[in-house]
Amino acid sequence: MPTRRQRARSKPVWYAEGLHFECQACGRCCSGPPGYVWLDPAEAYQIADFLRLSPHQFFTRYLRLIDGQLSLIELSGGDCIFLDPESRLCRIYPVRPRQCRTWPFWSSNLISRRAWEEAAARCPGCNRGRLYTLEEIEELRRQI
């Protein structure tokens, strides 16, 4: 007999037909209120290299340690340190952290249609653009 967890997995998710998303480069996902952009050491080294900084320089200027985890610092209003204030574009886009690359396909946004629509109210890229398949969404979701 299947366990409750196995039965829950066999039920189709509300986004089984996929979801549309296309970044609108508005910077809203990178701006206040304050929060955390988590990254692992490999991502930190990659960003340091991209910025042509030594790891020590990068860690000192751009990172903080919270409960043993690395997070990018943010500006006083909550904007990410790498969000250009004028263009509203990411200054490290090619090497942005996994957390940023997987937006908006986070578990917190996929828990229900309502949660997705709340994310869409903040992010104009949700429900626009290309269709991400269920398989693509699940792969992105697993990365976080």
Side-chain angles (χ1 to χ4, degrees):
M1 175 171 212
T3 66
R4 183 181 341 166
R5 188 176 200 169
Q6 288 168 330
R7 284 191 305 271
R9 269 195 233 139
S10 66
K11 288 173 46 179
V13 293
W14 68 268
Y15 53 91
E17 299 300 314
L19 292 168
H20 290 271
F21 176 72
E22 182 175 36
C23 180
Q24 302 298 298
C26 67
R28 290 183 191 170
C29 58
C30 307
S31 58
Y36 302 107
V37 176
W38 305 110
L39 61 164
D40 64 34
E43 291 173 306
Y45 285 110
Q46 185 178 28
I47 297 168
D49 186 55
F50 179 80
L51 295 172
R52 295 189 170 101
L53 296 173
S54 72
H56 178 74
Q57 289 171 316
F58 177 71
F59 279 60
T60 303
R61 289 183 197 170
Y62 297 110
L63 294 180
R64 58 188 170 173
L65 197 59
I66 301 184
D67 296 329
Q69 293 187 314
L70 297 173
S71 176
L72 294 176
I73 63 170
E74 53 203 27
L75 301 175
S76 60
D79 286 2
C80 175
I81 191 72
F82 293 112
L83 179 64
D84 185 283
E86 303 214 1
S87 70
R88 306 303 286 167
L89 297 174
C90 177
R91 292 187 280 219
I92 60 166
Y93 191 83
V95 293
R96 67 199 185 281
R98 181 181 316 110
Q99 179 178 334
C100 305
R101 290 191 315 267
T102 58
W103 172 264
F105 302 110
W106 298 351
S107 293
S108 59
N109 293 335
L110 298 170
I111 193 128
S112 67
R113 185 176 303 279
R114 180 178 178 180
W116 178 260
E117 292 306 326
E118 287 172 4
R122 297 184 312 273
C123 175
C126 292
N127 301 321
R128 297 180 72 168
R130 91 166 179 91
L131 178 68
Y132 282 76
T133 66
L134 174 62
E135 293 77 19
E136 289 174 305
I137 294 167
E138 290 302 306
E139 174 57 32
L140 289 165
R141 186 178 181 186
R142 277 190 292 274
Q143 292 179 26
I144 287 292

